[in-house]
Amino acid sequence: LYPRGSDDEPLDSYFQKMALIEGKEVRGLETMEEQMALLLHGSEEAQARELVALMREGKEKLRIDVDALTKMYTEGDLEGVAAVEEREYTEAARLELLEGRNEKWLGKMVEMMKEKRCLVVVGAMNMTGNKGLLRALRAKGYIVKAVNE
């Protein structure tokens, strides 16, 4: 997702840059190696097929999808975000890319929040659904609020 007025800087990069400018500590919930291992799974043939399919869909379709998802997110339409997740992810991908990561991240988030107040930035789809981070944090007694400004 992209902040208003930005055509090419994702929100996570934006917040990381702003934190560093303000001298705040920045931590990751996973390493780049862990993230790449998730994204580049399967055989080279399977990766090539996914890349070709992505290229066929074209940059414009991706922009439309990202714009629609960004609009839902900024309007607080988490049900809409969850519907996109349901439509775009297979069950296996949802288990690996969302639910598995959420489970790992939740423990790290709780430990960080015990130390001090935190701003945690994750993908919109990691927040929604029965196994989403919002529900998991609330189940642990945390108060979760949207930040709209």
Side-chain angles (χ1 to χ4, degrees):
L1 300 179
Y2 300 84
R4 289 185 191 111
S6 172
D7 288 333
D8 57 3
E9 184 177 32
L11 275 175
D12 53 349
S13 297
Y14 171 81
F15 281 114
Q16 182 173 354
K17 180 175 74 177
M18 296 309 296
L20 292 171
I21 288 170
E22 294 186 19
K24 308 246 185 225
E25 179 183 11
V26 175
R27 295 189 206 175
L29 294 172
E30 63 191 1
T31 66
M32 184 60 72
E33 290 80 13
E34 290 169 327
Q35 192 173 63
M36 289 295 98
L38 281 170
L39 297 176
L40 299 176
H41 63 283
S43 69
E44 287 185 15
E45 280 183 16
Q47 291 176 40
R49 279 194 307 274
E50 289 177 26
L51 181 58
V52 168
L54 182 63
M55 291 171 65
R56 283 192 179 132
E57 287 181 0
K59 183 178 179 181
E60 202 51 42
K61 182 182 182 321
L62 288 175
R63 172 54 59 194
I64 291 167
D65 290 348
V66 169
D67 288 347
L69 192 59
T70 299
K71 185 176 188 295
M72 285 180 238
Y73 177 76
T74 57
E75 292 176 353
D77 180 9
L78 295 182
E79 288 180 18
V81 172
V84 170
E85 171 197 322
E86 197 66 35
R87 183 179 72 236
E88 297 294 325
Y89 284 93
T90 64
E91 184 64 24
R94 188 176 10 268
L95 287 171
E96 185 175 14
L97 293 174
L98 300 175
E99 294 178 16
R101 289 167 88 197
N102 287 351
E103 192 174 309
K104 291 176 188 172
W105 292 353
L106 183 62
K108 291 180 181 183
M109 290 167 60
V110 168
E111 288 304 311
M112 288 190 306
M113 290 184 287
K114 284 179 183 176
E115 296 172 23
K116 57 185 164 186
R117 290 178 55 167
C118 300
L119 170 66
V120 179
V121 180
V122 297
M125 290 187 218
N126 291 92
M127 291 190 266
T128 63
N130 291 333
K131 302 282 184 162
L133 290 169
L134 297 179
R135 183 170 285 194
L137 287 167
R138 287 182 178 127
K140 290 192 169 291
Y142 287 91
I143 298 169
V144 181
K145 297 189 276 186
V147 178
N148 297 321
E149 298 177 22

